[in-house]
Amino acid sequence: MTCPVTGGGIPPGPELFTREFVADPYPAYAHLRAHAPVHRTTLPSGVEAWLVTRYADARQALADQRLSKDPRHSEAAWKQGKVGVPGEQRSGVGAHLLNLDPPDHTRLRRLVSKAFTPRRAEDFRPRVQELTDRFIDGFAASGEADLIHDFAFPLPIYAICDLLGVPEEDQDDFRTWAGMMIRHGSGPRGGVARAVRHMRTYLRELIHRKRGDLGDDLISGLIRASDHGEHLTEDEAAAMAFILLFAGFETTVNLIGNGLRTLLAHPGARAALQREPDERIGPAVEELLRYDGPVELATWRFTTCATPIGGVVIPAGEPVLVVLASADRDAERFAEPDKLDLSRADNPHLAFGHGIHYCIGAPLARLEGQIAITTLLRRLPDLELADPDAELRWRGGLIMRGLQRLPVRFTPE
Ligand code: HEM
């Protein structure tokens, strides 16, 4: 077997991007941190990119303004749909926070921050609780469930639809489109492009309708914010609504899915959380985000000039991927990084990124993760894996890390 981690004086290590790697990438990242912390590799798509694996370098790279978010810096790869948000090249979602740099990013981020405040997320608490209970009601009497399909997947999509102000009768369409995106995450891009196109067309029409009938939802908030001084075009509003959905959906599915899987594999930690859920859930979710977070690699960045990172000078025009999952296991920053410690006090993890692109949905994601996990463990206290010996399959794909299915059993409610 050839080993892409060898060469250039690096001792042989675990291969990247194999099935074993996808199941447990942490040993390969530990090897890179030790021997090639800033490492050029060929991605499964054929694109050559740099992986940044140490915590200190990752934090620096995330905040470095010499790294652009505009995928057109890597023109050929962008045209082939190999960098940027999947499906965008064909569907043309347009400019949004995750592919813009200052000053456009600054203006749009200011506008969305006015509408999407931590207070708005907190006001959403009763609704998230209601949705959580509704999805558990759907399987609680049966004694078994797939926690991805039946629970982690629907909760964030309906929550974001509510937040944006998508009418209830249309929300099932979003569930269908979101399913197309998640199923096709690592496969043919046609499904993703189609789903993105449906969402874009729908959101454009919704924004148009709402202009004449503002409510207290987030889309109305965006329109109001743009009416006070700074301008947000209808295209920009549609791109913003789309990126909130896109960035806030699969990530939260993975927080709930990976988090529950980790808890099921650590009975002691899980029992302590079940005994004192209200006191422990805050730091517990932070540790679950650090230990096996939803976003393995931060979204694409591109060098605009020769840029030194961790002692390596990366030439201009190169794709750079900051490996959040590796940074958050770096022993230079975290004591006993491979140990799950739900009451870890010193935990400045990078699961939500860092710098100007820091996750704007973090308060909502934390709320959803905390409510989903505590409610499930309270209502189904003897929850366990349906088959402890079965291998769990991961969805694959480059940026995200999440399970395909999480089959469990429990005493029916
Ligand atoms: C940005 C993680 C949930 C909306 C980011 C970034 C990360 C991240 C790592 C930075 C990407 C980069 O720098 O390349 C997560 C995780 C979540 C989560 C782990 C769940 C556990 C959400 C939710 C929303 C959301 C619920 C909205 C409803 C966004 C947006 C950005 C972003 C709009 C772009 C911000 C910008 O570029 O200024 N997220 N996210 N995220 N996130 Fe989240």
Side-chain angles (χ1 to χ4, degrees):
M1 265 198 298
T2 56
C3 176
V5 182
T6 57
I10 308 165
E15 249 186 288
L16 300 174
F17 312 122
T18 60
R19 197 164 147 199
E20 294 73 36
F21 170 85
V22 171
D24 180 12
Y26 298 104
Y29 290 144
H31 185 81
L32 285 182
R33 284 196 305 278
H35 301 287
V38 178
H39 177 66
R40 193 162 197 261
T41 190
T42 307
L43 304 176
S45 62
V47 170
E48 300 267 320
W50 293 83
L51 301 180
V52 177
T53 58
R54 283 186 182 161
Y55 183 89
D57 298 338
R59 236 178 106 91
Q60 182 224 312
L62 289 171
D64 196 325
Q65 304 279 313
R66 289 170 295 186
L67 299 186
S68 166
K69 299 288 292 171
D70 186 341
R72 287 167 303 183
H73 281 287
S74 190
E75 201 181 334
W78 161 252
K79 283 192 179 141
Q80 292 164 33
K82 290 181 173 171
V83 297
V85 173
E88 269 198 325
Q89 302 77 2
R90 273 190 254 170
S91 59
V93 167
H96 56 67
L97 294 177
L98 279 175
N99 60 18
L100 285 175
D101 299 321
D104 289 331
H105 175 269
T106 321
R107 179 176 64 86
L108 289 178
R109 173 107 186 183
R110 201 162 47 225
L111 277 171
V112 74
S113 305
K114 277 194 218 160
F116 193 16
T117 55
R119 171 74 199 274
R120 184 184 285 274
E122 189 50 41
D123 286 350
F124 215 50
R125 182 178 284 276
R127 181 62 181 146
V128 172
Q129 184 66 59
E130 195 184 313
L131 284 170
T132 303
D133 279 306
R134 196 219 291 171
F135 294 121
I136 299 176
D137 289 344
F139 57 77
S142 72
E144 56 181 26
D146 170 6
L147 288 182
I148 301 301
H149 180 268
D150 303 331
F151 187 57
F153 170 69
L155 179 62
I157 195 77
Y158 287 93
I160 300 172
C161 281
D162 267 1
L163 184 82
L164 288 175
V166 174
E168 235 171 293
E169 62 271 21
D170 297 339
Q171 295 187 0
D172 288 345
D173 289 341
F174 276 86
R175 182 181 180 149
T176 307
W177 299 330
M180 286 162 72
M181 291 176 75
I182 226 172
R183 256 198 310 281
H184 290 276
S186 57
R189 294 200 157 219
V192 182
R194 230 182 4 264
V196 168
R197 211 164 38 239
H198 284 303
M199 285 189 188
R200 186 194 59 166
T201 309
Y202 179 92
L203 290 170
R204 233 182 248 285
E205 284 167 16
L206 184 66
I207 287 163
H208 196 70
R209 265 186 284 148
K210 278 193 188 287
R211 271 206 189 278
D213 182 20
L214 293 180
D216 57 9
D217 52 78
L218 185 51
I219 287 184
S220 300
L222 281 173
I223 297 172
R224 257 192 223 102
S226 69
D227 287 344
H228 289 96
E230 295 202 82
H231 191 58
L232 187 71
T233 65
E234 220 153 86
D235 275 354
E236 285 172 336
M240 184 74 83
F242 169 79
I243 202 63
L244 287 167
L245 260 159
F246 182 84
F249 154 59
E250 192 173 350
T251 46
T252 312
V253 175
N254 295 350
L255 165 59
I256 299 170
N258 298 1
L260 287 167
R261 176 225 178 214
T262 298
L263 289 172
L264 292 178
H266 293 82
R270 172 236 177 122
L273 177 61
Q274 265 174 301
R275 272 195 307 276
E276 297 175 306
D278 297 343
E279 293 77 4
R280 290 181 182 268
I281 191 63
V285 164
E286 298 313 304
E287 177 68 347
L288 294 171
L289 283 161
R290 182 197 72 82
Y291 183 79
D292 199 13
V295 182
E296 189 165 333
L297 283 73
T299 57
W300 295 93
R301 280 165 172 73
F302 306 89
T303 44
T304 54
C305 56
T307 308
I309 301 176
V312 175
V313 178
I314 303 181
E318 299 264 309
V320 176
L321 287 166
V322 177
V323 190
L324 305 178
S326 174
D328 282 345
R329 294 281 192 115
D330 188 344
E332 295 282 315
R333 184 58 192 84
F334 298 97
E336 294 190 88
D338 294 324
K339 186 175 161 223
L340 181 79
D341 173 5
L342 292 189
S343 46
R344 190 179 287 271
D346 179 24
N347 191 0
H349 64 73
L350 297 179
F352 289 120
H354 172 66
I356 62 168
H357 294 279
Y358 181 83
C359 179
I360 202 162
L364 177 63
R366 289 187 161 115
L367 187 87
E368 287 183 63
Q370 293 176 10
I371 292 178
I373 291 171
T374 48
T375 308
L376 194 74
L377 293 180
R378 175 172 52 72
R379 287 189 54 179
L380 309 173
D382 64 354
L383 188 76
E384 60 183 0
L385 288 176
D387 177 359
D389 298 325
E391 189 194 339
L392 293 172
R393 300 285 295 272
W394 297 82
R395 282 198 304 279
L398 193 60
I399 304 288
M400 302 284 178
R401 174 167 170 78
L403 290 166
Q404 278 176 8
R405 303 177 65 231
L406 184 57
V408 292
R409 60 186 175 200
F410 47 84
T411 305
E413 208 177 40

